[in-house]
Amino acid sequence: MTDPRDRYNVRLETDEDAQRRSAGSVHHGGSFKKYMEGKNRKLREQFATEARSGADEVGDKSSRTLLRGISIHVNGFTKPSHQELRHLMGLHGGRFEVYYYRDRVTHIICSNLPAAKVKIFERERNPTPVVRPEWITDSIAAKRILPTEAYVLWQLRDAPGQPTLKAFQASARHGAHQHVDRLDGKDPSHRMEPDVSEAMGRDGSTRDTEGPGNEGADDAGMARARRLAAAARAACDVLRGPVRCSRDGPEFMDTYYRSSRLHFIGRWKARIEALQASMGSAAPAAMQPSVPGTLESVLLQGRVKGAQQAGPKERTIIHLDMDCFFAAVAASSDPAFKGKPLAVCHSNSAKGTGEVSSANYEARAFGIKADMFIADAKRRCPDLIVMPYEFDRYETVSEAVYRILLATTACVQPISCDEAWLDVTGLGDPLKIAADVRAAIWQATGCAASAGIGPNMLLARLATRKAKPNGQFYIKGSDMEPHLVLMPVSDLPGVGWSLSHRLTDMGISTVADLRERSSAALQRDLGAKTGQTLWNFAHGRDDRVVEPPKQRRSVGAECNWGIRFRDQSEAEEFLTGLAGELCTRLTSAGVQGRTITLKLKRRKENAPEPPKFMGHGICDNMSRSVTVARFTSSQEDVANEGRQMLRALHVDPTQIRGIGLNMTKLNTDPTSASAKPGTGAPSRAAAPPPTLFGPRTMDNHPWGRIIQREMDGTFDPALGKEAMAIAEPAPQDNSDHGLQAEPDHFWLEAPELRDLAGTAAIPSTPSPSGRVAAQDPGPPSLTGEGISTSSHGVNEHMSLQVRHASPRDNHLPCAPVASGMGPQNISRGAAAEALPTYVAQQMDQAKGVQECPPVSDALPKGCTLEDLPNRARSPTLAQRSAIPHSHAFQGRRMQHGPASKADALQQPDLPAAARVMRPTEALPPVSQLDASVLDALPLAMKRELEHAYGLGGGNGQPSKRRKGAPVKAAQYGAATKKQGLLLQRSGSGFFQRPRAEHQLPDITIQDGAAEQPAGLLQGSATDTCLLAVPEGAGDPEHALETGLPGQAHSLLGRKAVACSGREKQVEVWTAIKGAITRLRQQQVLFLLRSMHLPASWMPLSHDNAQV
DNA sequence: ATCCTCCCCTAC
DNA sequence: TAAGGTAGGGGAGGAT
Ligand SMILES: Nc1ccn([C@H]2C[C@H](O)[C@@H](COP(=O)(O)OP(=O)(O)OP(=O)(O)O)O2)c(=O)n1
Ligand SMILES: [Mg+2]
Ligand SMILES: [Mg+2]
């Protein structure tokens, strides 16, 4: 206990997960138990049959009874495999139990046991011996049952109750490497890493390359590797039950979490961080530093303070990350895997939609990446070896890695199971430290680690990318420039899909581009923090410090796979189970909390069945939270609150595709106790109606109504124009009158409507249960739809809330609940005069299509409005009956902003293409616009279009800006986050980071178009493609749609370019693999042209070099 | 100003 | 078949 490192002897796994994975420990409900009994009986019968038929192989009769009385359960990945061991047991009269039952199993066979499981076995009063599989094979070879002592798993050698062996001392020093011996059958000392110090380049980089492998083409090697992989997968299959989705019963959740890789890595982080945090705070002063100090003392006295107070002391940071971690662990189990493309995935099917978790570098050469469907992976590399997950071994390796890191310095900040920061300032040559650490890791685990070194965390992180695979790289502060400048922004940490596209839209694609902007400009456009961080990173600066993780501030559990409910009761049942799961986690973390958040995924209306098996598909996300009066970690509390929120949302249970519970305001945070609910944004009850997915039709296109009205002749473009003209002066002071740019809705003061509005103050009062609940605002005072009750008290007058379809909810007939944004007032102003008529029309229309029942009808029996959580109450009438907005009306809005300044702010750094938008140009009729084309446009252009038509998600216009106050461009930036009517960047919209459901199949590039079946596209992903339609294939445009079944909506544009005879060539643009926003200049140009937009909107033709 | 809620985004 | 979790950062905007 004197060495602080001992405190890192942590259990890297939660008890829950260890138990989950330890089959015998899992508690099962009645129905599952029955199933298990039946299944066990079947397995035993099958086993007996196999044993009988295999008996011929064993000539010696005594051999056939050699293992009589011995009953093994095999845990985890072993060599020989489960199946082989099972076979051997059958041949020699032993028993093989697929599931672990203490009273039936005499020996647990295991090659490797993670710490948490060790703990479980240690806790058993009369533990079942845990021995390595060699005990079986050696016993058979010796034709007698050998003593188990020499085969006890090294982790358990000192455990009470396990067989002990004096002679074990001799091998004890090998103990730590024993599992490594097994990994490749070699003495670990033979596993020499190339001498990194000699391989170092001028810049300190090294790249350890394997000798030219003779594998790959090696058929025998490949055959063996495939066999091993098959055996490993089969070992897992044996344990698989028929439980696959929420309908299959309560055991689904356990099965799911036990198998989920993301759950594994997510929980690993929480666990190690919690342990570290507790160590950090509980460290007695007596813990004296070894080298260079306890983590706490280093952090408290040294670097943390130093970094903040003592000025810019030169630091040396190492970022270390295992190479293709899961894949490397898999490959380390046998030398046959070396040099062969390998991936870790549940599925091995050529059509499978299982996701690749990790692919080794050989596989990456084929373009295989994490998150890819296995079908994609196998198509790219038919010879891919697929290995199953081995979570226990990841634990073990991870633990070994962390031990090595902590032997180097206590100043280790965990990032994940395969990755950590080290502050090695003042510890000597960092290159040598990194090399030593990597060599030690290799030696101990048989897995390669790469290391990046730098003067701060950023540069160390970036260096790791250069170091991989199996190398190290030092980026010194003095020579960071060349590495940094040419880097795409997306390589910067924190810049993911969304931000990188926003940046691209701003004309920023490299770090060099980023450097051309001032910090202020970036902050203005991206938000204060994001902008500053990005600027810092672009200049190689990063003042983050290596430190132990802070206390966890939330604990959650969610499940977005396999969720299919038949009815509300099933949903609530599952939610209760989830509450149990959450509370187990809370309890094991020793915390309670006050705020419970329910998260739901609801299938988007029209969303197709997801391509991913049991996946959630394209969804609307929503969440509601309650803050309760006291801290809790009880399942009952959580389940109750969760259920009420679920009911308040009155979501069709059959449409639920994901569900989660989260606890915040934990009692570990002193501020939680005093936190009051009821302040802050008003909460909402009912969920917005589903938004639409799929090709736009007149009915479901956000502009459909307008288009329809145009056709009906009820849309008066002049109104829009006139409104614009009126608004042209763009008064700076629009906080009080005039039209507000407002994301979700407008308030209109209209005297003739004023009387219609009601109001209700809604005081928060504690409910008997201690929950802070809200009173029912009371029955609506009006039958008129679209009249909101409101507690909005800014203005003395009543207001009519006029809403346009929320960007997030761009359906037409029943406009949504406002999404987090309260009402704004607009009033007076010239436009108001023109409005009532129009508004009235809209109201009529709204009445006509009103479909939402009163919320009280939707409440379950016995559930009163008072029961609704978190001031969540009956949606206001307005919420249920929002009035569709007038686009003409809004046409003014966008023109209304600060005339030039805001324009500049709105379009601060956009490419010229996006900037050009002249209000004087006539807009083409909306009906001429092709929604699918619009959807394909770069964000900036889309934004412009939305502005031009007065649509969109509140882009660019601060709603409550005081006269003269600077417009915070972050608010403009935020526009990109809110879904415009066309702009569905986020919220599971099309412009979300494309996942499987957004992707098109690869298009084969082939010559000989005429021979291709109809609908086969030719060309590269983002180029125009030629579609050759053979005779009899019908209309090519139709063929395009049908040629890509279910994917037609991904077609961005198309145009017939040639017709000859029966053959028609069509240019098409397709969205493939996330290339949507990476359209080439020419394509964008063409898209714009095809939309019949004003010429000035297409400056790209004048400046093709721009993008 | 600061807190609160409801998101979205990112990383592993 | 297949197991698309988890936690924190951060922004917008309303309430206080
Ligand atoms: N989308 C992801 C990302 C990661 N992981 C798991 C598998 C990885 O092996 C492990 C570590 O993640 P890394 O990002 O470090 O990826 P790898 O270690 O596999 O590869 P690299 O060599 O790039 O670090 O986490 C996963 O299951 N799914
Ligand atoms: Mg890694
Ligand atoms: Mg990693």
Side-chain angles (χ1 to χ4, degrees):
Chain A
M1 277 304 279
T2 53
D3 188 337
R5 280 173 246 156
D6 286 347
R7 285 172 297 125
Y8 284 89
N9 266 338
V10 292
R11 306 288 177 223
L12 297 184
E13 186 182 25
T14 61
D15 285 353
E16 307 97 82
D17 285 332
Q19 303 244 348
R20 245 197 269 282
R21 296 212 292 274
S22 175
S25 314
V26 180
H27 176 265
H28 297 298
S31 61
F32 186 61
K33 198 171 162 198
K34 254 203 226 130
Y35 152 72
M36 290 297 282
E37 281 165 4
K39 179 164 182 181
N40 277 327
R41 199 171 46 246
K42 252 178 144 170
L43 286 166
R44 276 195 300 274
E45 284 162 9
Q46 187 187 354
F47 178 67
T49 312
E50 283 179 22
R52 259 177 265 120
S53 69
D56 296 343
E57 297 173 31
V58 185
D60 184 348
K61 186 176 178 195
S62 70
S63 179
R64 259 177 266 148
T65 56
L66 178 68
L67 300 178
R68 179 164 292 169
I70 293 180
S71 173
I72 66 166
H73 164 75
V74 181
N75 184 297
F77 185 74
T78 55
K79 226 178 83 188
S81 69
H82 280 225
Q83 293 213 315
E84 288 166 316
L85 285 169
R86 185 163 169 249
H87 187 63
L88 288 174
M89 292 306 284
L91 290 181
H92 298 281
R95 290 164 62 107
F96 181 97
E97 293 289 346
V98 170
Y99 302 99
Y100 174 59
Y101 294 109
R102 283 200 55 195
D103 50 347
R104 210 141 65 201
V105 168
T106 59
H107 297 77
I108 295 168
I109 305 294
C110 179
S111 289
N112 156 39
L113 210 53
K117 249 184 203 170
V118 171
K119 198 175 167 187
I120 288 171
F121 287 128
E122 280 175 355
R123 270 205 301 264
E124 290 190 8
R125 264 178 299 279
N126 202 357
T128 310
V130 182
V131 297
R132 290 183 289 119
E134 289 83 353
W135 174 63
I136 301 285
T137 48
D138 289 358
S139 292
I140 291 168
K143 294 192 197 300
R144 65 186 180 98
I145 298 177
L146 297 170
T148 53
E149 286 81 358
Y151 298 91
V152 169
L153 209 65
W154 67 271
Q155 290 106 319
L156 288 170
R157 64 181 186 269
D158 297 326
Q162 292 290 338
T164 55
L165 177 69
K166 297 97 228 144
F168 196 84
Q169 306 309 346
S171 59
R173 84 184 105 259
H174 282 88
H177 293 310
Q178 222 158 339
H179 65 292
V180 171
D181 293 351
R182 186 186 49 75
L183 292 178
D184 64 359
K186 275 191 291 186
D187 185 295
S189 59
H190 297 154
R191 196 187 277 138
M192 291 304 293
E193 199 178 5
D195 184 344
V196 277
S197 57
E198 281 182 23
M200 276 171 205
R202 193 183 50 82
D203 55 1
S205 70
T206 61
R207 178 66 39 109
D208 306 332
T209 47
E210 298 288 343
N214 52 357
E215 302 85 356
D218 177 351
D219 284 352
M222 186 49 104
R224 174 171 163 71
R226 305 188 77 80
R227 223 168 35 242
L228 287 166
R233 289 194 305 271
C236 297
D237 289 341
V238 166
L239 297 171
R240 283 183 193 169
V243 177
R244 6 177 146 66
C245 84
S246 54
R247 278 181 192 159
D248 293 325
E251 61 279 8
F252 164 70
M253 212 165 56
D254 251 6
T255 313
Y256 173 66
Y257 283 132
R258 189 167 50 229
S259 314
S260 163
R261 78 187 203 278
L262 291 174
H263 172 75
F264 173 84
I265 59 181
R267 291 286 292 166
W268 190 96
K269 225 191 265 188
R271 183 64 176 167
I272 185 95
E273 289 180 2
L275 281 157
Q276 271 211 329
S278 67
M279 290 184 316
S281 57
M287 296 282 189
Q288 279 314 304
S290 54
V291 184
T294 64
L295 186 50
E296 310 76 57
S297 65
V298 167
L299 292 170
L300 293 178
Q301 300 153 22
R303 299 193 184 94
V304 174
K305 292 261 170 74
Q308 287 161 359
Q309 295 171 3
K313 184 174 178 276
E314 186 76 1
R315 296 178 294 156
T316 310
I317 309 295
I318 295 179
H319 173 259
L320 185 126
D321 187 292
M322 302 297 289
D323 292 341
C324 49
F325 184 48
F326 289 9
V329 171
S332 72
S333 64
D334 195 288
F337 294 128
K338 198 176 161 185
K340 301 185 176 60
L342 180 152
V344 174
C345 183
H346 280 304
S347 162
N348 183 37
S349 158
K351 292 184 175 169
T353 59
E355 279 163 33
V356 169
S357 173
S358 178
N360 69 4
Y361 282 77
E362 289 82 353
R364 289 183 201 193
F366 291 86
I368 296 171
K369 290 194 229 132
D371 269 349
M372 180 177 278
F373 280 171
I374 192 66
D376 283 343
K378 294 195 94 160
R379 194 157 29 74
R380 289 171 146 84
C381 172
D383 275 341
L384 183 68
I385 292 170
V386 179
M387 286 287 280
Y389 291 91
E390 301 167 71
F391 295 118
D392 289 350
R393 290 186 61 212
Y394 310 149
E395 292 280 357
T396 311
V397 172
S398 180
E399 198 176 334
V401 169
Y402 270 88
R403 281 183 202 287
I404 289 163
L405 299 184
L406 289 159
T408 306
T409 170
C411 200
V412 175
Q413 178 179 336
I415 297 170
S416 74
C417 58
D418 87 324
E419 192 173 347
W421 306 103
L422 283 74
D423 188 331
V424 296
T425 306
L427 295 187
D429 179 9
L431 287 165
K432 178 166 170 15
I433 295 173
D436 288 348
V437 165
R438 293 202 299 121
I441 289 172
W442 173 257
Q443 183 107 347
T445 70
C447 299
S450 294
I453 309 165
N456 60 37
M457 292 167 82
L458 169 72
L459 293 175
R461 177 74 190 84
L462 297 178
T464 305
R465 201 170 279 120
K466 305 229 181 222
K468 278 178 179 288
N470 194 18
Q472 54 187 55
F473 198 91
Y474 194 175
I475 299 183
K476 296 208 172 79
S478 54
D479 72 353
M480 67 178 180
E481 290 302 308
H483 300 121
L484 210 50
V485 174
L486 293 178
M487 199 173 265
V489 275
S490 54
D491 279 5
L492 293 174
V495 180
W497 190 90
S498 176
L499 190 48
S500 71
H501 283 83
R502 279 175 69 181
L503 289 167
T504 308
D505 290 346
M506 292 165 58
I508 299 171
S509 48
T510 66
V511 168
D513 298 335
L514 211 42
R515 284 189 178 188
E516 287 173 12
R517 313 298 168 103
S518 69
S519 158
L522 292 173
Q523 286 186 286
R524 187 193 57 199
D525 297 343
L526 303 168
K529 295 279 183 77
T530 312
Q532 185 60 58
T533 305
L534 223 44
W535 189 91
N536 287 346
F537 282 6
H539 292 81
R541 297 183 196 175
D542 181 6
D543 49 19
R544 289 175 301 167
V545 155
V546 179
E547 62 184 334
K550 300 178 192 101
Q551 287 272 13
R552 238 191 326 174
R553 299 177 62 77
S554 71
V555 180
E558 61 190 275
C559 180
N560 299 305
W561 187 88
I563 298 294
R564 300 294 123 108
F565 299 125
R566 273 177 284 251
D567 53 33
Q568 180 74 11
S569 72
E570 274 193 1
E572 294 188 5
E573 210 171 300
F574 187 87
L575 185 64
T576 304
L578 199 62
E581 175 68 31
L582 174 58
C583 291
T584 305
R585 296 184 195 180
L586 286 166
T587 307
S588 90
V591 295
Q592 299 189 312
R594 286 185 58 204
T595 299
I596 300 152
T597 304
L598 172 75
K599 288 178 53 164
L600 274 192
K601 276 186 186 292
R602 177 187 54 193
R603 176 177 165 265
K604 238 189 216 304
E605 203 173 312
N606 291 359
E609 265 309 297
K612 181 166 180 60
F613 176 68
M614 281 294 141
H616 56 60
I618 295 170
C619 287
D620 295 317
N621 301 315
M622 55 201 89
S623 76
R624 291 296 180 272
S625 62
V626 218
T627 298
V628 295
R630 55 179 169 73
F631 290 110
T632 182
S633 59
S634 98
Q635 178 182 16
E636 203 191 334
D637 286 349
V638 175
N640 279 338
E641 300 297 340
R643 185 165 47 246
Q644 304 211 41
M645 287 186 277
L646 179 62
R647 289 177 182 178
L649 284 164
H650 59 273
V651 165
D652 177 354
T654 66
Q655 303 300 297
I656 296 175
R657 292 292 177 270
I659 189 161
L661 284 169
N662 206 284
M663 184 73 86
T664 49
K665 287 206 180 74
L666 303 182
N667 57 1
T668 42
D669 177 353
T671 68
S672 296
S674 61
K676 282 205 183 69
T679 61
S683 195
R684 288 163 286 137
T691 58
L692 292 159
F693 174 80
R696 299 298 187 189
T697 65
M698 193 64 82
D699 287 336
N700 69 23
H701 190 275
W703 293 5
R705 183 184 305 274
I706 299 305
I707 295 168
Q708 195 60 59
R709 293 178 67 86
E710 258 183 41
M711 292 173 167
D712 297 349
T714 51
F715 176 84
D716 181 5
L719 179 58
K721 281 206 158 179
E722 184 187 327
M724 274 192 210
I726 292 167
E728 202 75 77
Q732 288 293 307
D733 181 7
N734 57 8
S735 61
D736 200 23
H737 54 69
L739 285 176
Q740 291 285 325
E742 173 56 29
D744 269 335
H745 40 239
F746 295 90
W747 282 82
L748 166 71
E749 184 194 81
E752 67 274 32
L753 294 172
R754 190 179 297 170
D755 292 340
L756 299 177
T759 186
I762 303 169
S764 278
T765 50
S767 74
S769 68
R771 172 143 43 88
V772 177
Q775 288 181 348
D776 179 8
S781 57
L782 277 175
T783 51
E785 306 288 88
I787 309 303
S788 166
T789 60
S790 168
S791 56
H792 187 68
V794 169
N795 297 288
E796 70 286 356
H797 54 265
M798 292 296 111
S799 297
L800 167 66
Q801 190 170 10
V802 181
R803 244 171 238 287
H804 64 73
S806 159
R808 271 193 284 281
D809 314 297
N810 53 2
H811 60 101
L812 289 170
C814 183
V817 169
S819 44
M821 279 154 279
Q824 288 296 304
N825 284 342
I826 58 162
S827 59
R828 297 186 279 275
E833 254 123 79
L835 289 172
T837 318
Y838 188 75
V839 169
Q841 283 174 9
Q842 298 291 329
M843 286 179 66
D844 291 339
Q845 201 166 350
K847 277 185 197 171
V849 298
Q850 183 52 250
E851 282 163 0
C852 303
V855 72
S856 51
D857 295 351
L859 289 173
K861 282 240 169 353
C863 176
T864 68
L865 286 167
E866 280 79 9
D867 291 330
L868 292 172
N870 193 24
R871 296 169 304 125
R873 49 197 173 253
S874 161
T876 61
L877 258 186
Q879 283 171 326
R880 291 187 286 114
S881 64
I883 299 174
H885 74 299
S886 151
H887 293 284
F889 170 56
Q890 291 183 15
R892 319 173 58 255
R893 182 183 66 136
M894 57 83 40
Q895 286 304 318
H896 180 64
S900 56
K901 184 176 176 186
D903 280 353
L905 285 167
Q906 281 170 29
Q907 309 164 353
D909 297 305
L910 295 173
R915 266 200 296 276
V916 177
M917 208 284 289
R918 300 209 181 102
T920 51
E921 303 256 11
L923 298 179
V926 183
S927 54
Q928 282 189 24
L929 304 183
D930 178 332
S932 64
V933 172
L934 289 170
D935 278 347
L937 289 176
L939 193 52
M941 293 190 189
K942 229 167 5 168
R943 218 179 278 151
E944 288 310 310
L945 285 169
E946 289 174 355
H947 279 231
Y949 283 94
L951 297 166
N955 319 7
Q957 277 286 29
S959 58
K960 256 209 295 202
R961 194 174 47 80
R962 288 200 188 79
K963 185 174 187 173
V967 178
K968 278 199 268 172
Q971 290 172 302
Y972 171 67
T976 63
K977 282 178 56 177
K978 306 225 175 280
Q979 294 173 40
L981 290 170
L982 301 172
L983 168 61
Q984 296 193 354
R985 175 181 273 296
S986 50
S988 304
F990 198 74
F991 284 88
Q992 209 178 23
R993 176 174 68 96
R995 282 195 76 107
E997 29 278 307
H998 302 130
Q999 293 175 4
L1000 283 172
D1002 273 345
I1003 285 171
T1004 316
I1005 302 171
Q1006 281 175 19
D1007 292 329
E1011 289 154 32
Q1012 299 306 319
L1016 194 87
L1017 301 176
Q1018 301 195 346
S1020 63
T1022 55
D1023 272 329
T1024 56
C1025 305
L1026 289 185
L1027 176 78
V1029 182
E1031 266 189 45
D1035 172 38
E1037 297 223 2
H1038 178 70
L1040 275 176
E1041 306 282 336
T1042 55
L1044 298 167
Q1047 308 280 357
H1049 60 268
S1050 296
L1051 223 61
L1052 302 188
R1054 54 187 175 274
K1055 186 196 175 195
V1057 292
C1059 263
S1060 64
R1062 289 201 179 87
E1063 229 185 357
K1064 190 170 176 183
Q1065 287 191 325
V1066 182
E1067 277 191 357
V1068 297
W1069 295 265
T1070 55
I1072 296 175
K1073 307 289 178 204
I1076 294 163
T1077 55
R1078 282 180 227 125
L1079 294 173
R1080 296 194 183 161
Q1081 189 87 35
Q1082 286 297 332
Q1083 296 174 270
V1084 172
L1085 177 61
F1086 198 95
L1087 289 171
L1088 284 169
R1089 278 193 183 135
S1090 69
M1091 297 193 324
H1092 311 291
L1093 294 177
S1096 65
W1097 286 32
M1098 294 182 274
L1100 298 180
S1101 54
H1102 310 304
D1103 186 8
N1104 276 351
Q1106 189 182 301
V1107 170

